[in-house]
C-alpha cells in the first residue's frame, strides 16, 4: 500500500499543472491524477497502458526511469514532450506528464 503522504504531495504539486499528470506505480496502476488527466480517462486505480489506443504508449520510458532513477523525456511527432520522473526515495513510483511544446 502507498503512503497517503505521496498522494497528498502529488495533489499539492500537480493539481494546477496545465497538462495531464499522473502518479503511477511501477505496475502501471494510476495512484493519483490531476483533473486534466482524469478528463482524458486517466483515473485512479486504472492501469495507464489500457487508456487510449496502444500507439500512444509506444516509446514509454517508465522502466528506464525507474531502473536508472533518472528522469526521461521523449518528443512525439505532434510536438508533445512526455516526461517520466522517478519519485525520490521511492523505487516503485514515478510521475508521468505531457507538455504541448507547440504552445505560444
Amino acid at each position: 500500500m502507498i503512503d497517503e503522504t505521496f498522494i497528498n504531495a502529488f495533489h499539492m504539486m500537480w493539481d494546477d499543472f496545465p497538462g495531464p499528470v499522473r502518479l503511477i506505480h511501477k505496475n502501471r496502476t494510476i495512484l493519483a491524477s490531476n483533473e486534466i488527466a482524469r478528463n482524458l480517462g486517466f483515473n485512479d486505480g486504472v492501469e495507464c497502458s489500457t487508456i487510449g489506443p496502444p500507439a500512444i504508449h509506444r516509446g514509454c520510458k517508465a522502466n528506464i526511469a525507474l531502473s536508472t532513477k533518472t528522469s526521461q523525456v521523449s518528443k512525439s511527432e505532434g510536438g508533445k514532450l512526455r516526461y517520466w520522473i522517478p519519485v525520490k526515495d521511492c523505487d516503485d513510483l514515478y510521475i508521468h506528464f505531457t507538455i504541448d511544446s507547440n504552445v505560444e
Side-chain angles (χ1 to χ4, degrees):
M1 190 65 178
I2 300 302
D3 186 329
E4 280 296 311
T5 304
F6 290 106
I7 305 295
N8 294 335
F10 170 86
H11 286 293
M12 187 179 347
M13 293 294 300
W14 296 101
D15 276 354
D16 291 327
F17 191 77
V21 187
R22 284 89 66 204
L23 173 65
I24 305 175
H25 187 270
K26 69 178 178 181
N27 69 7
R28 302 304 190 267
T29 300
I30 299 170
L31 302 175
S33 55
N34 69 355
E35 185 176 357
I36 293 171
R38 287 190 304 273
N39 289 338
L40 293 171
F42 292 98
N43 296 307
D44 301 357
V46 174
E47 187 176 320
C48 64
S49 58
T50 65
I51 308 299
I56 69 169
H57 301 283
R58 286 191 194 118
C60 176
K61 294 187 177 187
N63 289 339
I64 297 168
L66 290 168
S67 65
T68 63
K69 298 180 188 251
T70 60
S71 298
Q72 301 295 309
V73 64
S74 71
K75 186 173 185 177
S76 72
E77 290 178 21
K80 293 186 178 184
L81 299 171
R82 300 185 307 158
Y83 291 85
W84 296 261
I85 302 174
V87 174
K88 186 177 180 178
D89 299 328
C90 190
D91 295 339
D92 296 341
L93 302 178
Y94 63 97
I95 300 289
H96 182 36
F97 64 93
T98 304
I99 297 173
D100 187 347
S101 63
N102 295 314
V103 174
E104 293 183 29

